[in-house]
């Protein structure tokens, strides 16, 4: 059996306990004194050089660990049999009331570049791979991120990563917040320094794997009229607010009226009613009597999701030169949202514009963390940053003809992120840091609280988008 060095920088007591429980060769890095995981990675690499071990077993958090019978031995066996450089395992999480839940982790992909990728609480790293890592000195937050990016490599379809679906350990999880409450931790006021450091490490990695994009300058949009999507008669409006909706009787009127109050631009409002059956359709019918620039469409197909409904609106004769997003349970923050978006398009030449939003409750009272500005984005590195962050901001707006040529996928999660990745590859993206949009969190909201299974599905989908995008960018760099 392979020899394992157990390294636990955040909980030395747990490490000592494991040494006494299991009859396998274990070496302990006992010279490290409360350095914390990230700041100890470089020190760890130096220490491991003197260890006669095959793998390093690394604990990622200061939690209590319980192994099933023979669990640790089985982990070592799995790591050894996999022959991979980086191995992680599914687990159980136990909440404060003692309730246990199996936590099925995502498979690691080429595009699993987000810095919050969940490996569980224990990883095995092959000693040889660990010693090859080139960790920047002085990292306070991003050392493990840098380490795992360098250990998790892909050569064609071959990967240096192995994800075991065997559940071999349980951790006590003190954080009982919902997925929606955890979603915006990275924008907390004290996270700015961390974001800058993560960005630097991420950019270094993109250059290492050949997926880094130089700053995208404003490019003229070349539209292929032969495809026939841009030859229809223009609707005469400069802008169109696009609202896909299905069963939002509680919120659709608020959304439409916030759009109906816009000033300073010629525009219309296109609502795509995706076969609502809760009274939404009747509310929209009443609104058409008083909101004169409201157009309500219903697709011929009944299998469209949000992205498909968006493209149904954009490809229609009603769509203006610019299409601006508004979700059916959110509202614009003021009557100048469209004007600011239009001005950004005209002053920058961008093909996509992204605004800033804040989080509110149903009654529009601010809730933590407040403003989501995505200021980690920069004009020089935004296209690369988009591969690390799980969202780009709101509202999103597009030059209609460019979006017709680069359509949103027909999905109801991540369709806007897919567009952001695609647009950032070839076109400049404009940013507005004024709050243009109130994102309401309430019980009927689709992402206010996600089950682990749904969260896993969403994360894997965005990882797949990044995987495809990384491959496209690798082609550009060759």
């Amino acid at each position: 059996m392979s020899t394992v060095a157990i390294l636990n920088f955040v909980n030395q007591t747990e490490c000592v306990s494991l040494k006494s429980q299991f009859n396998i060769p274990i070496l302990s890095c006992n010279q490290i004194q409360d350095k914390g995981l990230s700041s100890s990675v470089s020190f760890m690499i130096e220490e491991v050089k003197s260890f006669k071990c095959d793998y390093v077993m690394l604990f990622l958090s200061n939690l209590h660990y319980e192994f099933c019978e023979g669990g640790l031995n089985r982990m070592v066996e799995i790591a050894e049999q996999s022959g991979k450089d980086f191995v992680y395992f599914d687990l159980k999480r136990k909440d404060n009331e003692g309730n246990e839940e199996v936590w099925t982790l995502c498979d690691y992909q080429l595009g699993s570049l987000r810095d919050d990728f969940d490996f569980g609480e224990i990883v095995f790293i092959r000693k040889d791979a660990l010693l090859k890592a080139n960790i920047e000195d002085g990292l306070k937050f991003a050392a493990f991120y840098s380490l795992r990016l360098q250990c998790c490599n892909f050569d064609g379809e071959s990967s240096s990563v192995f994800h075991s679906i065997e559940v071999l350990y349980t951790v006590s999880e003190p954080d009982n917040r919902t997925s929606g409450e955890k979603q915006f931790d990275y924008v907390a006021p004290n996270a700015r320094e961390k974001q800058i450091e993560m960005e630097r490490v991420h950019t270094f990695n993109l250059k290492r794997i050949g997926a880094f994009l130089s700053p995208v300058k404003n490019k003229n949009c070349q539209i292929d009229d032969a495809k026939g999507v841009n030859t229809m008669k223009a609707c005469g409006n400069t802008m169109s607010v696009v609202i896909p909706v299905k069963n939002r009787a509680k919120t659709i009127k608020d959304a439409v009226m916030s759009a109906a109050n816009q000033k300073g631009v010629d525009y219309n409002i296109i609502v795509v009613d995706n076969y609502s059956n809760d009274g939404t359709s009747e509310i929209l019918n009443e609104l058409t009597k008083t909101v004169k620039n409201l157009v309500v469409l219903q697709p011929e197909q009944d299998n469209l999701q949000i992205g498909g409904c968006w493209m149904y609106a954009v490809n229609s004769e009603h769509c203006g030169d610019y299409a601006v997003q508004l979700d059916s349970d959110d509202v614009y923050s003021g009557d100048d949202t469209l004007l600011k978006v239009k001005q950004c398009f005209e002053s920058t030449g961008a093909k996509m514009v992204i605004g800033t939003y804040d989080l509110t409750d149903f009654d529009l009272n601010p809730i933590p963390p407040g403003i989501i500005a995505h200021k980690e984005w920069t004009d020089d590195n935004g296209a690369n940053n988009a591969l690390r962050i799980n969202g780009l901001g709101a509202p999103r707006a597009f030059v209609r003809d460019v979006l017709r040529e680069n359509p949103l996928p027909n999905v109801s999660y991540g369709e806007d992120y897919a567009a952001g990745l695609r647009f950032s590859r070839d076109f400049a993206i404009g940013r507005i840091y004024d709050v243009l949009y109130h994102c309401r969190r309430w019980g009927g909201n689709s992402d206010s609280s996600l089950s682990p299974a749904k969260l896993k599905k969403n994360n894997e989908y965005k990882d797949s988008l990044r995987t495809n995008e990384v491959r496209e960018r690798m082609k550009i760099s060759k």
Side-chain angles (χ1 to χ4, degrees):
M1 181 174 288
S2 295
T3 304
V4 176
I6 291 185
L7 301 181
N8 189 338
F9 305 118
V10 290
N11 194 336
Q12 286 291 330
T13 302
E14 201 79 39
C15 184
V16 172
S17 174
L18 286 173
K19 288 185 67 178
S20 66
Q21 290 182 56
F22 295 94
N23 185 28
I24 64 172
I26 296 176
L27 300 171
S28 176
C29 186
N30 56 15
Q31 299 179 24
I32 298 176
Q33 300 295 326
D34 299 324
K35 287 179 177 293
L37 174 63
S38 190
S39 61
S40 299
V41 169
S42 296
F43 188 88
M44 171 186 73
I45 293 174
E46 289 300 314
E47 287 292 296
V48 168
K49 288 180 180 178
S50 63
F51 286 2
K52 294 182 180 179
C53 65
D54 301 301
Y55 281 95
V56 172
M57 177 182 181
L58 187 59
F59 289 72
L60 302 182
S61 61
N62 187 17
L63 300 175
H64 176 64
Y65 298 78
E66 298 174 11
F67 289 85
C68 68
E69 183 69 27
L72 184 54
N73 299 67
R74 178 59 179 154
M75 282 184 171
V76 176
E77 184 179 30
I78 288 172
E80 185 178 47
Q81 292 176 347
S82 75
K84 301 297 186 180
D85 292 339
F86 195 99
V87 181
Y88 63 105
F89 309 84
D90 287 350
L91 67 154
K92 287 183 181 179
R93 294 191 184 277
K94 184 187 298 184
D95 64 22
N96 289 335
E97 280 95 38
N99 301 309
E100 293 184 357
E101 183 173 22
V102 173
W103 202 260
T104 305
L105 303 173
C106 295
D107 287 334
Y108 198 87
Q109 306 179 42
L110 176 63
S112 298
L113 300 175
R114 50 195 166 89
D115 52 61
D116 63 349
F117 186 93
D118 187 2
F119 292 104
E121 308 300 337
I122 295 174
V123 297
F124 277 60
I125 305 176
R126 186 182 291 277
K127 176 185 174 181
D128 292 345
L130 188 147
L131 293 181
K132 292 177 183 178
N134 179 20
I135 307 299
E136 176 187 336
D137 290 336
L139 293 177
K140 295 172 60 179
F141 309 100
F144 176 72
Y145 181 49
S146 177
L147 175 65
R148 65 94 161 172
L149 287 175
Q150 295 181 64
C151 290
C152 300
N153 291 302
F154 290 81
D155 182 8
E157 296 302 316
S158 177
S159 166
S160 65
V161 186
F162 184 75
H163 168 206
S164 172
I165 63 173
E166 292 190 36
V167 179
L168 300 171
Y169 71 106
T170 301
V171 295
S172 298
E173 174 61 78
D175 189 351
N176 292 328
R177 294 178 301 161
T178 67
S179 59
E181 291 169 329
K182 298 176 183 178
Q183 181 180 0
F184 300 103
D185 283 350
Y186 76 97
V187 295
N190 61 355
R192 180 63 178 155
E193 184 181 1
K194 177 180 178 181
Q195 287 298 311
I196 292 172
E197 193 171 284
M198 292 289 188
E199 189 75 357
R200 188 166 69 246
V201 167
H202 167 67
T203 302
F204 173 83
N205 182 66
L206 290 182
K207 292 178 179 179
R208 182 181 69 88
I209 66 175
F212 175 80
L213 285 184
S214 299
V216 177
K217 305 303 180 183
N218 296 336
K219 297 182 180 180
N220 292 325
C221 175
Q222 301 297 321
I223 299 299
D224 183 6
D225 286 333
K227 291 185 178 180
V229 297
N230 300 305
T231 58
M232 64 181 62
K233 183 178 179 181
C235 72
N237 290 297
T238 302
M239 311 188 81
S240 289
V241 176
V242 176
I243 309 176
V245 63
K246 183 169 185 176
N247 295 341
R248 284 290 187 266
K250 292 183 178 180
T251 59
I252 186 60
K253 182 176 181 179
D254 292 341
V256 169
M257 294 312 298
S258 79
N261 292 328
Q262 297 299 299
K263 297 179 180 178
V265 294
D266 296 321
Y267 74 101
N268 64 5
I269 306 163
I270 305 175
V271 177
V272 180
D273 183 6
N274 195 15
Y275 295 89
S276 297
N277 56 18
D278 70 336
T280 296
S281 302
E282 290 75 12
I283 293 170
L284 288 170
N285 184 55
E286 286 299 310
L287 287 171
T288 58
K289 298 175 183 178
T290 55
V291 181
K292 300 305 180 184
N293 60 345
L294 173 61
V295 178
V296 178
L297 304 177
Q298 187 170 77
E300 294 87 352
Q301 300 169 265
D302 62 2
N303 61 349
L304 295 185
Q305 300 186 59
I306 291 175
C309 289
W310 244 90
M311 295 313 303
Y312 188 80
V314 169
N315 287 323
S316 76
E317 63 182 357
H318 303 286
C319 192
D321 300 324
Y322 304 111
V324 188
Q325 166 256 343
L326 179 58
D327 288 349
S328 58
D329 45 10
D330 298 332
V331 297
Y332 290 146
S333 61
D335 60 12
D336 58 353
T337 291
L338 295 187
L339 178 60
K340 288 181 177 179
V341 171
K342 177 175 179 286
Q343 290 172 339
C344 186
F345 273 120
E346 294 176 345
S347 64
T348 64
K351 308 307 178 189
M352 178 179 182
V353 168
I354 305 173
T356 294
Y357 64 98
D358 62 5
L359 292 181
T360 75
D361 62 18
F362 184 85
D363 297 317
L364 301 182
N365 299 306
I367 60 175
I371 297 174
I372 313 296
H374 285 283
K375 289 188 177 180
E376 71 280 350
W377 179 283
T378 65
D379 290 339
D380 285 344
N381 208 41
N384 299 303
N385 166 265
L387 289 169
R388 182 178 66 88
I389 300 299
N390 242 7
L392 298 179
R396 283 84 60 183
F398 305 89
V399 173
R400 175 199 61 206
D401 291 344
V402 184
L403 186 57
R404 286 174 174 172
E405 296 292 313
N406 301 277
L408 301 177
N410 183 34
V411 294
S412 287
Y413 174 82
E415 73 290 339
D416 53 329
Y417 183 67
L421 290 179
R422 177 65 188 90
F423 273 65
S424 68
R425 189 197 320 156
D426 284 340
F427 307 111
I429 293 180
R431 304 291 310 216
I432 300 173
Y433 293 111
D434 297 336
V435 174
L436 304 182
Y437 191 100
H438 295 314
C439 182
R440 300 162 93 181
R441 283 288 187 265
W442 60 292
N445 191 268
S446 59
D447 56 1
S448 60
S449 181
L450 299 176
S451 67
K454 183 65 173 178
L455 183 64
K456 175 179 180 289
K457 181 179 179 180
N458 287 350
N459 281 330
E460 285 186 329
Y461 176 64
K462 284 193 174 179
D463 282 352
S464 73
L465 294 175
R466 281 185 284 265
T467 294
N468 293 333
E469 186 63 27
V470 167
R471 286 174 176 156
E472 290 301 313
R473 295 183 185 197
M474 285 178 167
K475 295 176 185 177
I476 294 173
S477 67
K478 288 183 178 179

